[in-house]
Amino acid sequence: MALFFRDLLLLAVFVIGLTAFMGIISHWFSLKLFGGKSVLKFVDRTKSFQSSWRNVKRRDL
């Protein structure tokens, strides 16, 4: 009976791990396939806006 629960636990860990791994792989693949050169477009645009901002100075109360 203990072997059954061990096998069930191993199967559950394998299924959960495979599901998580396939999510990561499919996300990476979709970025590479459909992202093209625009993967960092929004990050670069945000950095260009923020480069001219002044730092906020903290006031002590």
Side-chain angles (χ1 to χ4, degrees):
M1 195 67 170
L3 292 177
F4 171 75
F5 286 116
R6 186 192 69 174
D7 288 343
L8 185 64
L9 178 68
L10 287 174
L11 179 66
V13 168
F14 176 73
V15 169
I16 291 170
L18 184 64
T19 304
F21 186 68
M22 290 305 293
I24 293 169
I25 292 298
S26 63
H27 179 71
W28 177 81
F29 183 71
S30 66
L31 282 178
K32 293 295 181 187
L33 184 64
F34 302 115
K37 295 180 181 179
S38 65
V39 173
L40 297 175
K41 177 175 70 172
F42 298 108
V43 174
D44 293 338
R45 185 74 171 168
T46 302
K47 284 184 181 179
S48 71
F49 281 126
Q50 292 177 354
S51 65
S52 62
W53 290 0
R54 290 179 291 166
N55 289 335
V56 176
K57 301 217 188 295
R58 180 176 179 202
R59 280 191 323 177
D60 291 328
L61 298 177

